[in-house]
Amino acid sequence: MMRSVPKGGVLDTGELARRLNLLLDFEESQRGAPVPFAEIEQYVGEHGGSLSRAKWTYMVSGDGRRNSDTELLRLLADFFDVDDTFLLEDGGLPERIGAQLALVRSIRSARVSGFAARTFPGELSPEALRRIAEVIEQESRRGGAA
């Protein structure tokens, strides 16, 4: 028996934006550079869909109405090489993306801690640097700094 997915899926605009941004972060970590919108737009167009810059901006910012274009969400899932349920249903993060993002967060946390240590040489104790790293990690897990 096939499940029917509500038109546009079940995710609210904020959750869809969070997931799209996770996919963008993952792709950037793989490529070493951000994914250009033009590449996403071209892929969607070549596969029979349509995506304007304005619509993309609304989708990744979480502003505006809930996306009701199920086919677009499926095309975006294909572009990012994830199961379309990730963008259509309320479920977990694909394991390969979660593992890579955890690594990216650790690297970013280490960079920021290193920057703080270089910026305030001798002024920050090891405990202060650990607390900075902890705050960055907490924010990253919540989606704030990753």
Side-chain angles (χ1 to χ4, degrees):
M1 179 174 144
M2 278 188 85
R3 283 188 296 176
S4 113
V5 175
K7 189 169 183 177
V10 298
L11 304 177
D12 65 29
T13 58
E15 180 60 16
L16 178 61
R18 187 186 76 78
R19 291 178 184 209
L20 288 170
N21 281 294
L22 285 172
L23 293 173
L24 288 167
D25 282 350
F26 176 75
E27 277 299 310
E28 183 175 344
S29 75
Q30 296 296 298
R31 297 172 180 219
V35 180
F37 166 74
E39 189 176 328
I40 299 168
E41 179 185 38
Q42 180 180 352
Y43 180 90
V44 168
E46 288 174 353
H47 292 85
S50 173
L51 180 63
S52 69
R53 184 173 296 278
K55 185 172 197 170
W56 179 246
T57 300
Y58 291 132
M59 290 174 72
V60 297
S61 70
D63 295 335
R65 297 186 320 231
R66 190 173 137 265
N67 189 307
S68 61
D69 189 344
T70 302
E71 189 54 35
L72 173 59
L73 295 174
R74 285 192 168 112
L75 289 172
L76 291 171
D78 288 344
F79 175 84
F80 289 108
D81 194 27
V82 295
D83 190 296
D84 60 12
T85 59
F86 182 64
L87 295 179
L88 292 169
E89 299 178 12
D90 193 12
L93 184 66
E95 186 177 345
R96 72 182 177 87
I97 293 175
Q100 181 68 25
L101 288 173
L103 176 61
V104 169
R105 284 185 197 113
S106 296
I107 291 169
R108 287 180 180 171
S109 178
R111 283 186 193 151
V112 172
S113 295
F115 174 77
R118 288 188 308 276
T119 304
F120 304 104
E123 295 177 39
L124 296 176
S125 68
E127 177 57 30
L129 292 173
R130 273 192 292 280
R131 285 196 318 256
I132 290 169
E134 286 171 13
V135 168
I136 292 166
E137 182 61 30
Q138 288 169 356
E139 286 299 310
S140 181
R141 274 189 246 121
R142 287 191 321 188

